[in-house]
Amino acid sequence: MANPSGLKYLSNALATLDQLSNSSSSIDGVSPDLETSIRFAGTQLTQAAGVLLRLSQDIISQAVVTFTRFWIGAEGGSLRIYSVKDVSAAALYMTAKLSFQPTSPRSVLNVYAFLLSQDASPLWFINPKGSPETPPAPETYCLTEGGYQSGRLVLLRTESIILRTLGFNTHVALPHTITLTYLQTLGVSSSAVARRSFEYLNAALLSPQLLYVTHQPNALAVAAIYLAAREEGVKLVDDEWWEVFDVDREELGFLVVGMRSMEGFARAEREKWQGRTIPMVVDQVDGEIERRRMMEEGE
């Protein structure tokens, strides 16, 4: 990934056009729509696990970006080699370990065992039936000691694979703090605008356009403020204020469309996979690819 000039702690290494158009998964025969669906589910899994682990949103957001980066480009990970659930867990564990809020392998694996349980999980793409009305039996989602020991080995091995794949570059600059600074600069004191801006930024983490790896934090912040201010009816300064923050009209327009499309995209994904689980492990990905092949050939 190319690293732009400027203050490196306020910017990120962005994906190149070649990386975006040639993923390792697509080379291995995973269709673009299937890859998008699986990646979308993986970001939601990471977010949900972070919440259950009581990690800060900053840590969760960084883990989601790390998870997303892992799959990008021909040199990235392939969904036919690495399981999404393992990469998600390792990205979250690694990010937390490098922060002020580390968490143990056992805690991470226990949370993922619960979220991946087809009887207990509240996640629609894992448990299409929905959360059970009565609590499921603990054995349906609790790890055995043997399961923990084997899971721990996979977790640590996957962590090292992520680090090597990313060239040990774990830096992730987020747009949230910049957003607050920009709001102050623009003289916006509305807490509703700030809250709505953060909602757009958090939703953009799940974007199929991979907004966090294609645009710098300052541009994401500007787009979120632009949308939030319009929705809340708060008038910003006249003229093209976004140019002050080094964002041109074309980039702003792209990000605005991308952020506004998230709700519709999420709804379409739920409809597309209604009643079915989204593959979270390699064997399931292979099975879905084979299912689609048979359908196409009328077998």
Side-chain angles (χ1 to χ4, degrees):
M1 295 185 183
N3 208 348
S5 59
L7 298 175
K8 66 177 182 179
Y9 294 111
L10 297 178
S11 61
N12 290 315
L14 299 183
T16 65
L17 287 175
D18 182 62
Q19 287 174 320
L20 293 171
S21 58
N22 295 292
S23 71
S24 183
S25 297
S26 64
I27 293 171
D28 285 344
V30 182
S31 64
D33 73 296
L34 179 56
E35 184 177 358
T36 296
S37 291
I38 297 173
R39 196 171 53 222
F40 175 57
T43 57
Q44 291 178 85
L45 176 63
T46 308
Q47 174 73 39
V51 170
L52 290 182
L53 287 164
R54 298 182 180 178
L55 298 174
S56 71
Q57 185 58 46
D58 273 6
I59 294 172
I60 297 171
S61 297
Q62 291 171 27
V64 170
V65 175
T66 297
F67 169 85
T68 302
R69 286 175 176 171
F70 177 76
W71 307 105
I72 291 174
E75 70 280 10
S78 168
L79 291 165
R80 302 194 79 170
I81 298 176
Y82 305 107
S83 294
V84 160
K85 70 176 185 67
D86 295 335
V87 176
S88 169
L92 195 60
Y93 169 71
M94 179 179 72
T95 305
K97 185 169 70 172
L98 297 172
S99 75
F100 60 89
Q101 212 177 352
T103 189
S104 69
R106 189 179 293 276
S107 295
V108 171
L109 293 171
N110 281 335
V111 163
Y112 273 82
F114 169 70
L115 289 175
L116 292 164
S117 167
Q118 293 196 349
D119 294 310
S121 180
L123 299 175
W124 63 269
F125 52 88
I126 299 293
N127 180 13
K129 302 186 298 291
S131 298
E133 293 182 4
T134 57
E139 56 266 23
T140 64
Y141 60 85
C142 287
L143 277 179
T144 63
E145 185 59 26
Y148 164 68
Q149 293 297 340
S150 61
R152 182 176 178 275
L153 291 176
V154 172
L155 181 71
L156 299 180
R157 183 170 67 245
T158 307
E159 178 190 18
S160 68
I161 291 169
I162 292 174
L163 284 170
R164 290 199 305 272
T165 301
L166 300 183
F168 293 86
N169 179 12
T170 60
H171 168 71
V172 178
L174 297 173
H176 299 70
T177 302
I178 298 174
T179 298
L180 294 176
T181 302
Y182 287 1
L183 286 171
Q184 291 176 343
T185 303
L186 292 166
V188 178
S189 57
S190 167
S191 60
V193 171
R195 183 171 59 252
R196 190 68 180 123
S197 296
F198 274 37
E199 288 173 357
Y200 272 115
L201 291 175
N202 291 337
L205 285 163
L206 316 180
S207 166
Q209 293 100 340
L210 310 182
L211 299 181
Y212 271 72
V213 298
T214 57
H215 295 270
Q216 294 295 355
N218 67 302
L220 294 168
V222 165
I225 291 171
Y226 178 91
L227 281 168
R230 290 189 64 178
E231 287 188 9
E232 297 297 330
V234 174
K235 182 173 173 57
L236 300 177
V237 295
D238 293 329
D239 300 323
E240 298 182 338
W241 59 268
W242 48 86
E243 292 186 351
V244 175
F245 303 117
D246 199 26
V247 179
D248 61 36
R249 180 180 291 274
E250 183 179 359
E251 183 175 23
L252 174 61
F254 179 87
L255 285 170
V256 164
V257 170
M259 288 182 178
R260 290 186 66 181
S261 69
M262 271 306 303
E263 184 177 352
F265 167 74
R267 190 185 309 113
E269 283 294 299
R270 292 195 70 150
E271 292 174 358
K272 182 170 73 173
W273 290 91
Q274 190 172 28
R276 295 192 296 129
T277 59
I278 295 181
M280 288 286 106
V281 298
V282 171
D283 288 348
Q284 293 173 352
V285 174
D286 291 341
E288 176 64 18
I289 291 172
E290 178 63 15
R291 186 190 71 82
R292 293 184 176 200
R293 184 194 66 78
M294 293 176 66
M295 287 183 64
E296 288 177 1
E297 296 179 1
E299 295 182 18

